[in-house]
Amino acid sequence: MSYKILLFDLDDTLLDFGANEIDSLNKLFHQNGYTFSDELFRVYDSVNKQLWTDYENGNVALDEVLNSRFSETMLKLDKIVDGMEWENQYRELLGNGYQLIDGALEVCQSLSVTHRLFVITNGITKTQIKRLKQAGLYEFFDDIFDSQSIGFQKPSKAFFDYVMSHIKDFNVREALIIGDSLNTDIKGGLMSGIDTCWINRKSQKCSAEIQSTHTITSLAQLCYICAPIK
């Protein structure tokens, strides 16, 4: 298959969200007078993941996820905090983090010469654009599609229908979705009839229900999949 349009997930595909998250959370709790510990992270991580799952399943609004995750976390520790204020602080810290996944800069730079590159993310518009610019990746992409602006989130077909209808001369047979999440990126591609490339860096178990067109363990391998057919 000769791909011409590449749709990249952002967090944990091009940018190391895990490293950014830990650094930002540590600073957030410290500036609010709390020591950030492994136990505190486990509580937050559990609350946050459940809220994002509810959002991806269409059960809660994005604002509810963002403005309640810290208040719900601290409530489990019998503390009352302003969830919206904490979220604003966290958003600022997170927006300043742009740790790159190994090979991301080189791969995007190389593929942008021969392909049309786009970002597809469930992240927040302002934060994601800022991080892309700081990481030096922004210039390689024709456009950024995010769930906050679109009003739908991956893996919903509505999200991908919007993306396809807003890319000039889009041809589903020439498009490839690249992402680390089976449940959002790969499932979304399957539902929309777009080929997918799963980045499985951590040797996760494959899914019988959600199967990717391609599977790689590093971004560098993507260049071989996307090499023009001669």
Side-chain angles (χ1 to χ4, degrees):
M1 179 65 69
S2 181
Y3 299 112
K4 297 180 180 178
I5 299 171
L6 306 181
L7 308 174
F8 282 89
D9 172 53
L10 185 56
D11 287 316
D12 292 325
T13 295
L14 296 176
L15 296 182
D16 189 340
F17 180 77
N20 187 14
E21 178 185 41
I22 293 296
D23 182 59
S24 299
L25 286 170
N26 183 44
K27 292 174 180 175
L28 173 70
F29 281 92
H30 179 74
Q31 68 189 29
N32 282 283
Y34 296 93
T35 299
F36 185 61
S37 62
D38 290 342
E39 176 58 27
L40 188 50
F41 176 72
R42 281 193 288 270
V43 174
Y44 165 78
D45 192 49
S46 176
V47 169
N48 187 51
K49 282 180 176 176
Q50 184 58 58
L51 284 168
W52 277 104
T53 297
D54 291 342
Y55 169 64
E56 288 166 358
N57 290 333
N59 296 326
V60 299
L62 181 59
D63 283 349
E64 184 175 344
V65 175
L66 303 179
N67 295 326
S68 67
R69 54 182 171 178
F70 290 111
S71 56
E72 288 190 20
T73 295
M74 298 307 288
L75 194 59
K76 289 183 179 293
L77 303 174
D78 297 321
K79 304 290 184 181
I80 304 296
V81 304
D82 185 332
M84 187 177 294
E85 174 57 29
W86 276 48
E87 178 61 32
N88 289 336
Q89 294 176 36
Y90 180 59
R91 187 61 43 200
E92 182 67 24
L93 292 166
L94 204 62
N96 290 324
Y98 52 91
Q99 296 90 332
L100 283 160
I101 293 289
D102 286 346
L105 182 62
E106 295 81 3
V107 167
C108 289
Q109 187 173 35
S110 175
L111 289 175
S112 67
V113 176
T114 52
H115 297 71
R116 297 165 63 199
L117 275 54
F118 300 86
V119 167
I120 52 170
T121 174
N122 275 351
I124 309 305
T125 313
K126 184 178 178 180
T127 302
Q128 301 296 59
I129 290 176
K130 182 178 180 181
R131 293 169 68 218
L132 278 166
K133 288 181 176 179
Q134 291 178 322
L137 297 177
Y138 185 80
E139 64 180 292
F140 302 124
F141 293 91
D142 289 12
D143 207 346
I144 291 97
F145 297 99
D146 65 273
S147 58
Q148 185 182 40
S149 297
I150 294 173
F152 299 100
Q153 65 280 345
K154 299 180 295 183
S156 71
K157 189 172 182 297
F159 178 95
F160 288 96
D161 284 345
Y162 180 95
V163 171
M164 290 187 285
S165 67
H166 284 76
I167 293 178
K168 185 179 179 181
D169 299 324
F170 185 89
N171 184 335
V172 70
R173 294 188 300 276
E174 297 176 343
L176 180 69
I177 293 170
I178 303 104
D180 69 296
S181 172
L182 285 175
N183 291 322
T184 56
D185 306 309
I186 309 309
K187 184 177 180 180
L190 287 171
M191 293 169 61
S192 304
I194 306 172
D195 278 7
T196 57
C197 181
W198 181 35
I199 305 177
N200 185 11
R201 294 189 185 87
K202 300 179 181 179
S203 301
Q204 300 175 60
K205 290 185 65 176
C206 297
S207 168
E209 295 78 26
I210 308 173
Q211 296 193 8
S212 185
T213 313
H214 310 278
T215 299
I216 59 178
T217 57
S218 71
L219 276 171
Q221 295 171 308
L222 183 62
C223 293
Y224 295 101
I225 293 173
C226 296
I229 296 175
K230 296 181 180 180

